[in-house]
């Protein structure tokens, strides 16, 4: 329980403190959970630490090590639900670093777990859209973006990953609008920018730069 409390508190912290500092709390949460014999709490912190690090500007060399550790722990404990959320992110790290992704988990049940969990599928779509955006693969990105927006999910909680949904979803929508002039994409970009602006008013360090890029 302590590990999960630290995890949730750390995600809230990301909207107040510099995200790089908040990441340290996930490491502490992982250690605390393991000390208490709470494997689930340890894995939750590991998953959020890896995911948040992805969007926090962590160096790719450090990110690769962090993701390898998280990936190994999830496989060892057979936690297919966490792997369903993280597999595409692991693949993206491999592509960004120019390395082979054959190490990414192929254990039975991951694909089924993702298909049965709309939030995992939503995370998958974000990651696929993000990597296509980064490599300027417009046509494929647009197809994925349409699928991504069709999920139309609303979470009961607020985590740092939601800011990445808004940021990259907004950048992608702006690009598609510039190419297509379809007003629905302009509306999506406007809503995403509005969210980032709101968060920037609470935490300039984490969000002001994103707002400038969206403008």
């Amino acid at each position: 329980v302590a590990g999960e409390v630290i995890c949730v508190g750390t995600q809230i912290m990301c909207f107040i403190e510099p995200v790089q500092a908040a990441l340290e709390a996930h490491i502490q949460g992982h250690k605390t959970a393991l000390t208490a014999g709470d494997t689930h709490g340890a894995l939750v912190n590991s998953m959020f630490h890896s995911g948040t690090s992805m969007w926090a500007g962590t160096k790719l060399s450090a990110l690769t090590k962090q993701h390898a550790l998280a990936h190994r722990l999830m496989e060892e404990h057979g936690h297919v639900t966490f792997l369903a959320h993280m597999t595409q992110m692991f693949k993206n790290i491999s592509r960004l670093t120019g390395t082979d992704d054959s190490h990414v988990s192929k254990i039975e049940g991951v694909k089924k777990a993702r298909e049965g969990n709309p939030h995992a599928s939503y995370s998958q779509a974000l990651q696929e859209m993000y990597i296509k955006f980064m490599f300027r693969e417009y046509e494929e990105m647009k197809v994925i973006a349409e699928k991504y927006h069709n999920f139309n999910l609303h979470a009961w909680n607020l985590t740092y990953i939601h800011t990445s949904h808004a940021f990259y979803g907004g950048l992608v929508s702006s690009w598609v609008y510039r190419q297509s002039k379809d007003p629905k994409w302009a509306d999506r970009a406007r809503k995403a920018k509005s969210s980032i602006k709101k968060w920037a008013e609470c935490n300039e360090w984490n969000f002001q730069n994103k707002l400038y890029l969206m403008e």
Side-chain angles (χ1 to χ4, degrees):
V1 175
E4 292 188 19
V5 170
I6 292 173
C7 181
V8 173
T10 301
Q11 287 297 298
I12 295 172
M13 192 176 171
C14 291
F15 291 87
I16 303 168
E17 301 290 339
V19 64
Q20 294 81 4
L23 284 171
E24 296 299 317
H26 277 309
I27 297 175
Q28 185 58 47
H30 178 83
K31 293 178 180 177
T32 299
L34 283 180
T35 301
D38 178 12
T39 303
H40 180 81
L43 287 173
V44 167
N45 274 283
S46 182
M47 180 178 73
F48 274 96
H49 181 264
S50 294
T52 305
S53 294
M54 174 78 180
W55 310 118
T58 303
K59 290 183 178 179
L60 284 174
S61 57
L63 200 58
T64 299
K65 293 178 181 177
Q66 291 172 9
H67 278 63
L69 175 60
H71 187 274
R72 179 174 61 80
L73 288 172
M74 292 173 193
E75 276 203 322
E76 285 179 356
H77 294 280
H79 213 305
V80 295
T81 301
F82 289 170
L83 284 168
H85 279 84
M86 301 293 288
T87 298
Q88 186 61 41
M89 183 178 289
F90 295 146
K91 290 181 179 180
N92 286 355
I93 296 299
S94 294
R95 186 172 183 191
L96 290 169
T97 55
T99 56
D100 182 46
D101 68 1
S102 60
H103 66 287
V104 175
S105 180
K106 295 179 176 63
I107 65 173
E108 187 177 351
V110 172
K111 183 179 179 181
K112 185 177 180 180
R114 182 170 54 248
E115 291 174 346
N117 185 327
H119 289 281
S121 297
Y122 189 45
S123 295
Q124 171 97 356
L126 171 67
Q127 289 292 335
E128 291 178 344
M129 184 174 69
Y130 159 79
I131 202 67
K132 297 300 181 183
F133 173 80
M134 293 299 289
F135 285 90
R136 314 306 286 171
E137 297 168 352
Y138 175 79
E139 293 300 334
E140 292 178 44
M141 181 201 73
K142 183 182 177 183
V143 171
I144 295 168
E146 288 280 14
K147 179 177 70 172
Y148 168 82
H149 284 289
N150 284 338
F151 279 101
N152 196 30
L153 297 178
H154 299 282
W156 62 268
N157 60 348
L158 183 64
T159 63
Y160 195 71
I161 185 62
H162 292 115
T163 70
S164 299
H165 279 279
F167 180 55
Y168 287 104
L171 291 177
V172 166
S173 295
S174 293
W175 188 10
V176 176
Y177 174 68
R178 290 196 301 271
Q179 297 295 320
S180 67
K181 303 305 179 186
D182 185 336
K184 74 179 180 184
W185 292 100
D187 185 55
R188 288 167 175 167
R190 179 187 58 77
K191 289 178 179 177
K193 180 181 173 182
S194 177
S195 293
I196 296 294
K197 184 177 181 180
K198 176 180 62 179
W199 293 323
E201 291 171 355
C202 299
N203 190 329
E204 289 188 3
W205 179 276
N206 290 344
F207 302 111
Q208 192 67 51
N209 62 328
K210 292 178 173 61
L211 183 59
Y212 288 150
L213 285 170
M214 296 183 81
E215 290 178 337

